Amino acid sequence: MITKKLIFPILIILFSLFSSQAGIIQFYESPEGMTFLYMKDRKSKPLKVLTLQCGETKLIGVPSNVEVDYEMLTGKKNHCRNFYEERKYLLSGVDTLYVRTYKDGIAWKKKGSSRIEFLDPEHTWLQNWTDCYENFFPKDQELKDGHRIGYPALVEYKDSVFGLLTESGLTSEEAGTSMYALGDNRFDLKPDGPENGGWQTFIVGSLSDIVESTLVTDVAAPNKLDDTSWIEPGVAAWVYWAYNHGSDDYNIIKKYVDLAYELKLPYVLIDAEWDRMKDGKTVEDAVEYAILRDVKPMIWYNSSIGWVDGAPTPKYRLNTPENLEKEFAWCEQIGVKGVKIDFFSGDTNRNWKFMEELLEAGARHHLLVNFHGSPLPRGWQRTYPNFITTESVYGAEWYNNRPDLTTRAASHNATLPFTRNVIGSMDYTPCAFTDSQHPHITTHAHELALTALFESGIQHLADRPESFLEQPQEVKDYLSALPAAWDETLLLGGYPGEYVVMARKKDDRWWISAINGTDAPVALEDIDYSRLGLENSNLNIRIFEDAAPGGDFKWKISDTTSLPSAFNLQPRGGIVMTVSSK
């Protein structure tokens, strides 16, 4: 008779404080690896959420405790604070595993791939991987073995506990990691190439904990720039959505510069094909016109390492150190304030090395950098504050490309605040009141709400100049005052794909946005504003709602002094409020 030796895991409580809800993160070690648990409070039963399947581990040295405290120029919050305990383990062989436990999640790092298991999730929102991260987040999709999933991955457990898995702290010597399905909620997390990946980062808690977390930038390397005084987030007029091209036409660019001037927007983006400008004009003429109207111009480049054949120009201007330095010096000389660089080729080390070169050259020449057709930011907005935003999202420009967004936009928009936009600025290019190549069926108030619901260090407005300028004066005033970086972000309610209520603060004013992700009316009741620190009286409040359906008017705009405890959202509708004390 053979007697099996039973191994009982030892429970190690790493933190007793977790976010404003005072949650607790725990983990235990076993021969299979490490299992992480979450407790809402000391009285609740621990909930197993994730296992890192790394085999037996041996603690090396003494755990270290580190406080994280820094300022952000972009993002959901300007002052970020966290703390972590880091433990170092020896794995079988010579590999070392680093595990950090933060107040709102965990992060780990090791050589090569990791294998994880989500433990008994009730729902998942997983994005099929593409090199540009432009896809939907379908709920509970079935995965075949080997199915490749891109970060971030959102999971829901029982008792309204959620987890968001992503990656941060990547260096230019590494490659981005993605997920490969193994069945039964197990995944291999593998870098895209022979290099190692970054810190695998898992936020855990309530939906508000997920949305409000700054863990992705907390994990990332600190700011590398000595001078950031020239970096200014802001809203931009943007030509591409309405015309699908347009930047080869000086007169069209002038219309967008004039729009920015009229609405007091700080920026205008001169998009692709500016090197082929018609009628004897050049991009320098367009840049000069913008500067004369006190609008800061940004211009577009093809990275020329992703989509090249058949892609728009200008190409191959940035692909050697000499050319990159020459081009960015020219941009600075003529008054360009930022560059949008498009069409990268995925998570490979080649892309990350090149992106770092672009960010560092941009900083030398005081240029904001916006990456499009690119991998996820992975915390680099902390490391390089001139990394003002990135696409990595299925955004409004897809109305130009495919019909899918027409019927899926509302639900997709109500999913992004819980997934993609959690981890960094997202250049979705919101707010279209008219149609592009394919129609939209979200309401005017839904579209306006996206401008404050979605966070982006440069918020590009999608629609035509004449569409914005024919809106009521109150809407134009709203856009003129719209911030692109926030002091505070609070989730007041919502569920992925169904609805969202978000509050963001800049200086002494709150922007409160709500959208309906469904095709049916939604009544939101008992909205809790207590965390905003406002007395529910003697306030200046402007409310933008959808007018009653069937009439000639699109808007219902009102002023009041008390926050509404409830409001109704039309199908695919929205509401946005600006709130300040008298």
Side-chain angles (χ1 to χ4, degrees):
M1 181 177 178
I2 299 175
T3 303
K4 294 184 179 180
K5 182 180 180 181
L6 298 178
I7 302 175
F8 294 94
I10 301 173
L11 191 65
I12 305 172
I13 298 180
L14 298 178
F15 279 105
S16 60
L17 175 65
F18 168 41
S19 81
S20 59
Q21 282 79 37
I24 302 168
I25 296 175
Q26 305 171 327
F27 76 87
Y28 62 79
E29 306 160 37
S30 73
E32 290 74 37
M34 296 182 175
T35 296
F36 295 87
L37 307 95
Y38 170 76
M39 298 168 61
K40 290 186 176 182
D41 52 47
R42 294 186 179 276
K43 297 180 180 179
S44 62
K45 182 179 179 181
L47 177 67
K48 297 179 182 179
V49 292
L50 180 119
T51 292
L52 173 59
Q53 299 175 334
C54 55
E56 293 191 18
T57 59
K58 179 181 179 181
L59 182 65
I60 307 170
V62 178
S64 59
N65 292 281
V66 178
E67 183 178 11
V68 182
D69 192 326
Y70 60 96
E71 301 287 332
M72 288 286 291
L73 296 179
T74 56
K76 66 184 79 171
K77 190 174 184 179
N78 62 351
H79 186 191
C80 304
R81 296 187 64 187
N82 209 330
F83 54 87
Y84 65 85
E85 182 175 81
E86 181 173 295
R87 293 178 173 238
K88 185 164 56 174
Y89 295 89
L90 181 66
L91 303 179
S92 58
V94 294
D95 195 7
T96 303
L97 168 69
Y98 298 85
V99 178
R100 293 178 180 176
T101 49
Y102 291 79
K103 67 177 184 178
D104 53 350
I106 60 173
W108 72 88
K109 188 177 181 69
K110 61 186 287 291
K111 293 180 180 179
S113 62
S114 296
R115 180 165 292 186
I116 60 112
E117 180 181 1
F118 297 125
L119 300 173
D120 299 321
E122 295 192 341
H123 300 292
T124 62
W125 292 263
L126 304 177
Q127 175 184 221
N128 296 327
W129 185 90
T130 66
D131 57 6
C132 57
Y133 287 83
E134 296 177 39
N135 224 321
F136 297 103
F137 289 84
K139 184 179 180 181
D140 298 334
Q141 70 163 317
E142 294 185 10
L143 303 177
K144 297 180 180 179
D145 287 356
H147 198 126
R148 189 175 183 182
I149 297 297
Y151 287 142
L154 179 67
V155 294
E156 181 182 7
Y157 302 94
K158 65 180 182 180
D159 300 326
S160 299
V161 173
F162 289 79
L164 187 79
L165 180 65
T166 188
E167 184 174 45
S168 184
L170 198 71
T171 73
S172 61
E173 301 304 313
E174 297 168 335
T177 298
S178 52
M179 305 166 61
Y180 294 81
L182 299 172
D184 298 325
N185 298 307
R186 294 178 300 115
F187 296 88
D188 270 338
L189 314 181
K190 296 194 294 188
D192 194 357
E195 297 84 9
N196 294 317
W199 286 88
Q200 308 309 301
T201 305
F202 188 66
I203 309 168
V204 61
S206 65
L207 270 179
S208 60
D209 292 322
I210 301 292
V211 170
E212 298 165 21
S213 173
T214 60
L215 185 58
V216 172
T217 47
D218 297 343
V219 171
N223 174 21
K224 290 185 177 183
L225 305 187
D226 294 329
D227 176 24
T228 60
S229 60
W230 53 275
I231 299 171
E232 298 179 3
V235 181
W238 178 55
V239 63
Y240 176 83
W241 183 88
Y243 289 90
N244 210 7
H245 295 280
S247 289
D248 61 351
D249 190 320
Y250 175 74
N251 290 317
I252 291 178
I253 293 172
K254 283 181 63 178
K255 289 171 57 177
Y256 282 84
V257 172
D258 292 343
L259 170 67
Y261 175 81
E262 292 294 331
L263 294 185
K264 300 180 179 62
L265 310 181
Y267 293 99
V268 66
L269 176 63
I270 303 169
D271 217 291
E273 301 175 334
W274 53 258
D275 58 329
R276 300 181 177 185
M277 204 164 290
K278 306 169 185 175
D279 301 324
K281 295 293 186 178
T282 69
V283 71
E284 293 188 5
D285 295 319
V287 167
E288 181 181 12
Y289 182 77
I291 293 171
L292 287 173
R293 302 232 76 184
D294 198 27
V295 177
K296 300 171 186 176
M298 300 181 291
I299 62 175
W300 183 98
Y301 286 93
N302 191 321
S303 75
S304 305
I305 65 170
W307 181 32
V308 178
D309 294 339
T313 58
K315 303 176 186 176
Y316 300 113
R317 296 196 178 203
L318 311 174
N319 297 92
T320 67
E322 297 79 15
N323 288 348
L324 173 57
E325 187 67 21
K326 177 181 177 182
E327 195 74 14
F328 280 9
W330 169 74
C331 286
E332 183 178 27
Q333 178 187 359
I334 68 172
V336 169
K337 297 301 182 182
V339 289
K340 172 182 172 181
I341 306 170
D342 211 339
F343 303 135
F344 293 84
S345 57
D347 290 313
T348 63
N349 175 253
R350 179 190 182 206
N351 285 280
W352 287 102
K353 275 185 175 294
F354 188 35
M355 288 191 291
E356 184 176 62
E357 292 169 4
L358 294 166
L359 289 165
E360 290 181 346
R364 287 194 299 272
H365 295 286
H366 302 101
L367 296 173
L368 306 177
V369 178
N370 173 9
F371 291 133
H372 263 234
S374 64
L376 293 173
R378 288 173 167 86
W380 277 25
Q381 283 183 270
R382 177 186 176 193
T383 311
Y384 294 102
N386 62 321
F387 183 12
I388 198 75
T389 190
T390 187
E391 187 180 28
S392 313
V393 66
Y394 200 98
E397 73 170 40
W398 279 91
Y399 283 116
N400 284 327
N401 304 328
R402 295 175 60 89
D404 308 55
L405 201 55
T406 296
T407 56
R408 300 182 70 173
S411 178
H412 180 55
N413 295 344
T415 302
L416 292 173
F418 306 104
T419 51
R420 166 62 181 89
N421 212 187
V422 171
I423 66 171
S425 283
M426 179 180 78
D427 196 13
Y428 177 99
T429 62
C431 198
F433 302 130
T434 62
D435 289 335
S436 183
Q437 276 66 33
H438 299 283
H440 79 288
I441 56 174
T442 49
T443 68
H444 274 34
H446 181 116
E447 290 293 316
L448 188 68
L450 298 182
T451 62
L453 181 67
F454 293 161
E455 180 272 311
S456 179
I458 294 288
Q459 189 71 286
H460 291 93
L461 301 181
D463 209 350
R464 297 169 173 82
E466 52 270 27
S467 172
F468 286 121
L469 295 175
E470 71 184 14
Q471 300 304 319
Q473 186 61 47
E474 295 91 339
V475 174
K476 292 186 284 187
D477 291 343
Y478 168 93
L479 294 172
S480 297
L482 180 69
W486 304 94
D487 299 335
E488 190 68 54
T489 293
L490 299 174
L491 179 70
L492 303 185
Y495 187 82
E498 296 184 5
Y499 76 99
V500 192
V501 185
M502 187 85 77
R504 299 192 192 270
K505 185 181 183 184
K506 183 66 176 179
D507 298 329
D508 61 351
R509 183 182 294 187
W510 286 94
W511 277 255
I512 302 173
S513 306
I515 63 168
N516 181 0
T518 75
D519 294 329
V522 169
L524 300 180
E525 299 177 348
D526 301 323
I527 300 168
D528 184 4
Y529 302 104
S530 60
R531 291 201 291 155
L532 276 58
L534 296 168
E535 296 293 334
N536 195 20
S537 62
N538 204 31
L539 300 172
N540 288 319
I541 303 172
R542 176 159 287 173
I543 305 176
F544 300 83
E545 300 176 79
D546 294 304
D552 295 331
F553 299 100
K554 296 290 187 180
W555 294 105
K556 177 184 176 184
I557 302 172
S558 58
D559 295 316
T560 184
T561 59
S562 298
L563 289 163
S565 61
F567 41 80
N568 297 313
L569 299 179
Q570 293 183 19
R572 304 175 302 280
I575 186 173
V576 60
M577 298 184 284
T578 58
V579 185
S580 59
S581 299
K582 285 188 175 180

